[in-house]
Amino acid sequence: MKPFTYERAKSPAQAAAAAARNPDAKFIAGGTNLLDLMKLEIETPKHLIDVNGLGFDKIEPTPDGGLRIGALVRNTDLAADERIRRDYGVLSRAIVAGASGQLRNKATTGGNLLQRTRCPYFYDTNQPCNKRKPGSGCSALGGYSRQLAVIGVSEACIATYPGDMAVAMRVLGASVETVNADGTRRTIPLGDFHKLPGTTPHVENALTPGELITAVTLPKPVGGTQIYHKVRDRASYAFALVSVAAVIQRDGTGQVAIGGIAPRPWRVEAAEGELPRGAKAVAGPLLSGAKPTDDNKFKLKLVERTLGAVLAEAKEAKA
Amino acid sequence: MKFDTPATTNPIDQLKFVGKPTDRIDGKLKTTGTAPYAYERHDVVPNQAYGFILGAGIAKGRISGMDLDNAKAAPGVITIVSTLDMPKLPRSKMNIACLFGGAEIAHYHQAIALVVAETFEQARAAASLIRVGYTRVQGKFDLAAEANDASPAGPIDRVGNFDAAFQAAQVKLDEQYSTPDQSHMMMEPHASLAAWDGDKLTVWTSNQMIAWGKRDLATTLSLPEENVRLISPYIGGGFGGKLFLRADAVLAALGARAAGRPVKVALTRPIMANNTTHRPATIQRIRIGANLDGKITAIAHESTSGNLPDGKPETAVAQTKLLYAGANRLTSMKLATLDLPEGNAMRAPGEAPGLMALEIAMDEMAERLGLDPVEFRVLNDTQVDPEKPDRPFSQRQLVKCLREGAEHFGWNKRNPKPGQVREGRWLVGMGMAAGFRNNLLIKSAARVRLGRDGVVTVETDMTDIGTGTYTIIAQTAAEMMGVPLDKVVVLLGDSSFPVSAGSGGQFGANNSTAGVYAACMKLREAIAQKLGFNPTDIEFADGKVRSGDRSASLAEAAGDDGLSFEDGIEYGDLAKKYQQSTFAGHFVEAAVHSFTGETRIRRMLAVCAAGRILNPKTAHSQVIGAMTMGVGAALSEGLVVDKRLGFFVNHDLASYEVAVHADIPHQEVIFLDEVDPISSPMKAKGVGELGLCGVGAAIANAIYNATGVRVRNYPITSDKLIDGLPEMV
């Protein structure tokens, strides 16, 4: 870990100003991912701006009937919130499918969106990695890629976005609210938040330097049967091989987003029209353009079959 | 004490303490976090500095240069020991790769420097400033690719004429199986604190085999053995990963010498898999021929594994020599040279991966014969060594383990036709396997002191790696000397104590307690003599010694100076005359998601026959822990080799997936009532590895019974099942 300086921000303006002063600064909230990466010197911020005191820790109704989730709401609290459990069950289920109780107590809503990939070559600083060290090459291509992405990938990077929470938020049509160093605010649809790697896999999201996530908003509840099915090699405490977040209505229509297969929660709205026709019909357009490796091509079939399991469960739930 | 005739009635048979489910005497220390582990010995020497090991960034080649300037100038740095500072250190008896010294890189994450600093964080930060230039050499990393060029590892063992018998057999099986490299991944990393006093070195460490460690550290550092002391009273797991001297101890010693003050070093989790040892991967071919009546007429087991030059093979065929009858037999091993890290023992070396293959083969063969898998095994039971029929087993209750297990588990409810039982979207199946692990006899010594306060103190360099050694040694001493447990003090893991068997190969419990038995016998005789009691009718009970109508307290017998005696157990040729092994029946119910191939174990049962169970509570913990390890081996564990770059890629606990709580269902263990007077005066055998042996195959067989998909390559992950699962409905 590189030595760093540290300050506690007392207001969003102070946090933004501190970030503007220190180009090598990072915001820290729960720190569950950042500190691990700093110990390995994959992240080497010179300055940490602790945003835990900024008060973004409430879940509040929005004027249009949805919820605004403060960026500092802990995963545990979000998953346990009565409104989330009642109206956005897929989100609650996705969160508790991830990490461990201890980590969820600490991890925040905003931080979780920024969780970095678990590609083993990203984690091993002896190995080339375009995400960690732009231009150094990708060790995962041609290497061990069983966990890695099958779609949305590039020649430069096949890493996945590893989280669960964002997959559920994506299926719910969430948006990310931010504040900039100059005080301007903007709202980024979650579908535009995580960037595909292209030739710049180190650019992982739409945030500009110093821009701070303040909240995630959910549109008004859409009902339906809400399911999160996460397939992994052990029953808990592992990243998804494939996960499916789904909202399925009584008539068989709905939305699905897939985790574990792409650099972002993967959702193809055009494919969702096929939902009443079953998993196979959806999987085709959903996975169109996939470029799997020999190691991970099983994920294509696994997506289809996990989706099938989810649709079968939804059918039973409404029967 | 020489043990060369079967045990007769002895004080252990009183079973006032031995055989009781006693709580761990060190339990309070463990659960309150006050058992001091090596890295926590802040109290033992002042002025400790922290060392951080830098591992090599390539798998094979040479270091062309190292720039230490920035690291040396970093805050808090006291000194840096570089591998270029010295020639290759002498390789000790138990190491395959050189632990430090010289420019040559033999495997990934080989230690190449130690940074010593005032704090751990400073040492780690400085280590990242070391610039290393490498000249890479292409190595051999792919076992499957090298298997054809593998050399025979020992002779081909033949009995009868396998080829002819297999040819003639009415039902045949010829299949290939594979097991991956595995990592021990015990909770406590390798850790050592080293302090020099002149040319004398003391190392507080975490090591299963104190005498080996002392000898090998002396060899590596070119010191007289008597100048080295190892202290390792508490060990946070080992599973074989701490059988040998490793870089933490060597570099703590080198760092302390260079820094002129004590230095402590722990391996970080990400370098453990590649810096230390692992269980080697295997490719196994098994052929079984039988007549329609189910009797095996021919059995062959061939295994190929890899290792660094001078390494040994994984002895995956060992159990096949002994487990089933059959007149025509063939076993052989091949060894490929690989430039991966050092392959060596992990819990139940040989049998664990060997049974993962053999017991699937037996399941397949039973199906081909139309026999129940339990009945097929019973039919091929043998009470003698099948290679040397004049050698009986000392005890062999395999059939009883299988029958009792089947009865208890409800095996008769299993549908023999696979893929038939559905619960919702889950396919449910049952599987079983025989468990087998040899019982090893190793000499073991102890010193027993009787104090004037009547307290019995046992000293031996035996280790407790979480197994319960402290407790069973206390039970043994209490039984022998007739004192309550709270009048026994057990001191372990110090090389200044008499040399014990150590912990490994499930040989620790039986041998170390037998050593304590021997020392206690000597003490009893001395007490009898001192008191002038007749040694033939002497009784030790309730803190007193009685003989006829005479009685004295132990404290009186000790006198002001106390009494202290040392002895050990040594074995004659009983192990040659009798085959000593332990047996189990493993039963598993598993459910597989019919869409996704996710496997969930539902129930597990192990029925074990392993001689006298010294402490059913700690033995139970050993077996359920081993069963848990078997779940990991079956479903998720495997070091993945990057065949281009030559290292284990998934070298942390996030990516090397051991079983977690959610994977572990209801586990049950039954110990058959057994004493084995051939094994030792304790009449006990090992059990800690038996609990693992066969579990993986029982799971694989349950998955097959659930789904009809036969997977012969571990671990059995979703991707290996989904192609064979039913169409989605």
Side-chain angles (χ1 to χ4, degrees):
Chain A
M1 187 182 271
K2 298 276 187 217
F4 59 90
T5 52
Y6 170 89
E7 73 176 285
R8 269 192 196 128
K10 299 214 168 50
S11 68
Q14 191 195 339
R21 274 198 310 275
N22 299 282
D24 292 321
K26 283 256 175 195
F27 298 119
I28 182 165
T32 56
N33 193 207
L34 179 61
L35 289 177
D36 280 353
L37 293 171
M38 286 171 67
K39 289 175 188 170
L40 296 167
E41 299 198 6
I42 295 164
E43 295 273 14
T44 52
K46 293 203 170 88
H47 185 65
L48 285 186
I49 305 159
D50 187 329
V51 296
N52 283 298
L54 299 189
F56 306 134
D57 56 357
K58 292 173 191 62
I59 305 172
E60 299 162 316
T62 59
D64 61 359
L67 287 178
R68 174 179 285 107
I69 303 159
L72 293 168
V73 172
R74 307 286 152 175
N75 280 180
T76 297
D77 297 330
L78 181 57
D81 184 88
E82 190 187 332
R83 293 158 292 179
I84 298 291
R85 292 179 64 190
R86 184 184 60 223
D87 297 330
Y88 307 95
V90 64
L91 178 55
S92 187
R93 291 178 188 118
I95 290 169
V96 297
S100 67
Q102 294 92 329
L103 287 165
R104 294 193 298 266
N105 287 343
K106 199 81 184 131
T108 62
T109 304
N112 197 295
L113 292 176
L114 303 177
Q115 181 175 189
R116 304 199 69 188
T117 188
R118 297 288 165 158
C119 174
Y121 299 96
F122 173 74
Y123 265 81
D124 189 331
T125 51
N126 289 318
Q127 307 306 332
C129 170
N130 287 322
K131 188 184 276 297
R132 179 168 29 79
K133 195 174 174 193
S136 61
C138 173
S139 312
L141 273 166
Y144 171 53
S145 56
R146 181 169 176 272
Q147 287 276 347
L148 302 179
V150 296
I151 196 161
V153 297
S154 73
E155 290 298 306
C157 185
I158 58 170
T160 53
Y161 170 77
D164 296 296
M165 181 195 79
V167 183
M169 286 178 168
R170 180 74 180 96
V171 87
L172 292 168
S175 296
V176 182
E177 293 186 352
T178 69
V179 61
N180 252 301
D182 62 4
T184 57
R185 294 175 176 274
R186 66 169 175 154
T187 300
I188 310 165
L190 187 56
D192 298 333
F193 185 79
H194 295 104
K195 294 292 176 195
L196 297 184
T199 56
T200 54
H202 58 290
V203 180
E204 294 178 351
N205 56 59
L207 296 176
T208 55
E211 189 174 7
L212 178 66
I213 299 172
T214 55
V216 172
T217 54
L218 300 176
K220 72 175 185 196
V222 295
T225 299
Q226 303 202 1
I227 296 169
Y228 191 74
H229 190 140
K230 180 178 182 179
V231 180
R232 41 188 159 175
D233 288 330
R234 60 184 170 193
S236 177
Y237 205 56
F239 293 94
L241 292 168
V242 160
S243 68
V244 173
V247 178
I248 306 296
Q249 304 297 338
R250 294 183 75 88
D251 60 3
T253 62
Q255 295 78 37
V256 288
I258 314 294
I261 64 163
R264 59 161 65 133
W266 195 252
R267 183 173 171 196
V268 177
E269 275 90 337
E272 291 167 1
E274 304 291 333
L275 274 170
R277 296 180 43 226
K280 267 197 170 71
V282 180
L286 181 68
L287 299 173
S288 165
K291 282 191 187 141
T293 64
D294 281 348
D295 264 6
N296 66 22
K297 59 177 188 265
F298 73 92
K299 286 191 175 189
L300 301 181
K301 186 162 192 176
L302 191 55
V303 167
E304 183 184 308
R305 294 190 70 101
T306 309
L307 194 51
V310 165
L311 295 181
E313 191 184 331
K315 203 176 235 175
E316 269 170 33
K318 69 184 184 217
Chain B
M1 176 185 287
K2 187 85 180 262
F3 183 76
D4 50 9
T5 54
T8 53
T9 302
N10 67 40
I12 297 297
D13 294 322
Q14 300 172 94
L15 300 180
K16 288 183 192 162
F17 296 97
V18 171
K20 295 277 191 288
T22 307
D23 287 348
R24 283 166 199 259
I25 61 169
D26 52 333
K28 192 175 172 190
L29 292 177
K30 295 283 180 71
T31 52
T32 55
T34 47
Y37 291 84
Y39 205 70
E40 305 167 334
R41 300 305 295 263
H42 314 292
D43 55 323
V44 289
V45 276
N47 203 25
Q48 298 175 14
Y50 292 79
F52 185 90
I53 291 177
L54 180 67
I58 65 166
K60 190 172 171 64
R62 291 183 69 77
I63 297 174
S64 54
M66 263 171 117
D67 178 356
L68 305 176
D69 291 351
N70 288 341
K72 279 186 173 157
V77 171
I78 298 161
T79 188
I80 297 177
V81 181
S82 150
T83 193
L84 301 180
D85 294 347
M86 60 197 79
K88 225 184 230 193
L89 294 179
R91 188 164 59 107
S92 72
K93 189 171 173 189
M94 305 308 282
N95 293 116
I96 297 167
C98 176
L99 290 174
F100 198 70
E104 191 188 331
I105 302 299
H107 63 88
Y108 195 66
H109 278 167
Q110 176 182 319
I112 58 170
L114 180 84
V115 179
V116 180
E118 296 293 343
T119 70
F120 170 78
E121 288 77 11
Q122 288 171 330
R124 181 176 60 185
S128 74
L129 299 173
I130 297 175
R131 292 288 157 260
V132 188
Y134 296 105
T135 309
R136 285 175 193 261
V137 173
Q138 185 52 47
K140 295 174 177 173
F141 307 122
D142 183 352
L143 176 62
E146 303 301 326
N148 286 337
D149 294 332
S151 315
I156 299 175
D157 288 330
R158 297 174 193 273
V159 175
N161 185 337
F162 170 79
D163 291 326
F166 185 68
Q167 185 82 29
Q170 289 168 305
V171 179
K172 295 188 183 90
L173 169 132
D174 182 355
E175 294 290 353
Q176 184 173 297
Y177 306 83
S178 71
T179 60
D181 298 287
Q182 291 182 336
S183 185
H184 308 83
M185 288 294 172
M186 56 285 180
M187 285 292 285
E188 183 206 22
H190 304 78
S192 294
L193 162 64
W196 291 87
D197 180 6
D199 57 357
K200 296 219 180 324
L201 172 66
T202 303
V203 181
W204 292 264
T205 189
S206 184
N207 191 297
Q208 299 174 225
M209 303 292 290
I210 299 303
W212 293 0
K214 173 182 166 165
R215 178 197 64 200
D216 290 355
L217 186 56
T219 304
T220 307
L221 298 178
S222 303
L223 291 170
E225 216 182 302
E226 59 271 22
N227 284 15
V228 176
R229 183 173 174 199
L230 251 56
I231 300 174
S232 184
Y234 296 102
I235 297 165
F239 306 129
K242 293 174 182 164
L243 287 169
F244 316 113
L245 177 73
R246 299 304 316 170
D248 57 305
V250 173
L251 282 164
L254 293 174
R257 189 152 64 188
R261 55 195 269 200
V263 168
K264 63 178 177 178
V265 176
L267 296 189
T268 57
R269 184 66 61 177
I271 76 164
M272 283 172 64
N274 287 282
N275 177 270
T276 73
T277 59
H278 64 278
R279 188 202 297 284
T282 64
I283 299 170
Q284 304 179 43
R285 182 188 184 193
I286 295 177
R287 286 172 287 171
I288 304 175
N291 288 333
L292 288 172
D293 64 2
K295 293 267 192 190
I296 293 172
T297 54
I299 185 164
H301 193 161
E302 297 155 280
S303 175
T304 303
S305 55
N307 215 328
L308 285 163
D310 301 330
K312 294 197 176 100
E314 178 69 27
T315 55
V317 305
Q319 73 289 318
T320 309
K321 294 168 169 293
L322 292 161
L323 190 48
Y324 297 113
N328 302 285
R329 322 176 66 86
L330 183 156
T331 47
S332 75
M333 292 185 291
K334 283 186 173 174
L335 183 60
T337 300
L338 293 178
D339 297 300
L340 290 171
E342 188 171 334
N344 216 317
M346 179 168 147
R347 199 175 197 173
E351 280 98 329
L355 284 164
M356 285 167 80
L358 177 65
E359 287 299 287
I360 294 184
M362 288 295 286
D363 198 65
E364 296 193 71
M365 196 62 190
E367 189 182 38
R368 290 179 195 192
L369 286 158
L371 284 172
D372 180 272
V374 172
E375 294 310 317
F376 179 48
R377 287 168 174 87
V378 170
L379 209 50
N380 288 288
D381 186 47
T382 173
Q383 291 295 315
V384 297
D385 175 349
E387 290 188 349
K388 302 182 190 78
D390 55 335
R391 281 180 83 226
F393 283 90
S394 61
Q395 290 278 344
R396 178 170 164 130
Q397 298 200 72
L398 174 62
V399 169
K400 195 166 183 208
C401 290
L402 299 177
R403 291 253 189 255
E404 212 165 302
E407 169 79 24
H408 194 81
F409 199 70
W411 182 253
N412 59 359
K413 295 192 185 72
R414 169 183 179 265
N415 187 328
K417 194 173 171 205
Q420 301 303 303
V421 182
R422 266 184 180 270
E423 284 180 26
R425 281 177 293 282
W426 293 88
L427 299 164
V428 183
M430 289 190 207
M432 56 78 56
F436 175 93
R437 172 73 172 143
N438 279 330
N439 185 57
L440 303 175
L441 299 178
I442 294 178
K443 69 178 183 176
S444 190
R447 183 161 50 230
V448 186
R449 286 191 279 120
L450 176 62
R452 54 193 284 187
D453 51 2
V455 170
V456 177
T457 301
V458 183
E459 293 172 334
T460 167
D461 84 351
M462 181 60 192
T463 48
D464 187 327
I465 59 174
T467 41
T469 315
Y470 276 105
T471 311
I472 56 172
I473 284 180
Q475 289 171 273
T476 304
E479 197 78 79
M480 293 300 292
M481 303 314 300
V483 296
L485 282 173
D486 61 9
K487 294 282 186 205
V488 180
V489 173
V490 181
L491 300 173
L492 300 180
D494 186 328
S495 65
S496 66
F497 298 155
V499 175
S500 72
S503 295
Q506 77 171 15
F507 54 65
N510 178 48
N511 292 293
S512 70
T513 53
V516 173
Y517 170 95
C520 287
M521 271 302 193
K522 220 170 198 178
L523 178 59
R524 286 167 61 112
E525 285 157 19
I527 290 169
Q529 196 176 15
K530 189 170 173 188
L531 296 172
F533 285 13
N534 174 8
T536 56
D537 77 340
I538 198 162
E539 187 197 3
F540 289 75
D542 309 320
K544 292 195 168 59
V545 199
R546 291 191 197 86
S547 177
D549 54 0
R550 299 178 62 194
S551 171
S553 76
L554 275 184
E556 288 169 50
D560 283 348
D561 298 338
L563 292 169
S564 175
F565 286 92
E566 181 178 331
D567 199 4
I569 197 82
E570 286 180 57
Y571 297 94
D573 63 354
L574 285 174
K576 283 206 180 75
K577 289 187 194 150
Y578 297 89
Q579 175 57 38
Q580 296 189 24
S581 305
T582 62
F583 299 89
H586 287 289
F587 293 81
V588 169
E589 181 179 311
V592 179
H593 196 291
S594 63
F595 286 63
T596 61
E598 295 159 275
T599 297
R600 297 286 180 268
I601 310 294
R602 291 184 163 189
R603 292 191 292 141
M604 306 178 80
L605 167 68
V607 181
C608 301
R612 173 175 281 152
I613 300 302
L614 301 172
N615 180 334
K617 195 168 190 177
T618 52
H620 177 269
S621 293
Q622 279 295 291
V623 175
I624 61 171
M627 291 157 77
T628 302
M629 194 176 244
V631 173
L635 299 181
S636 59
E637 286 186 46
L639 288 167
V640 179
V641 180
D642 186 312
K643 298 182 180 95
R644 309 158 307 166
L645 302 169
F647 70 105
F648 298 129
V649 184
N650 50 339
H651 51 64
D652 61 31
L653 278 171
S655 50
Y656 183 85
E657 295 188 15
V658 301
V660 295
H661 285 89
D663 293 302
I664 302 306
H666 184 66
Q667 295 178 318
E668 213 176 336
V669 181
I670 296 171
F671 294 112
L672 294 190
D673 200 11
E674 180 176 300
V675 288
D676 193 337
I678 310 288
S679 71
S680 81
M682 302 304 293
K683 305 173 188 174
K685 291 188 283 200
V687 75
E689 299 187 334
L690 178 66
L692 170 62
C693 295
V695 174
I699 293 168
N701 296 338
I703 290 172
Y704 174 73
N705 182 245
T707 63
V709 183
R710 181 62 79 182
V711 180
R712 300 185 183 88
N713 302 298
Y714 293 94
I716 307 171
T717 44
S718 295
D719 47 302
K720 294 173 186 167
L721 295 170
I722 49 173
D723 286 334
L725 295 177
E727 280 296 302
M728 295 190 287
V729 286

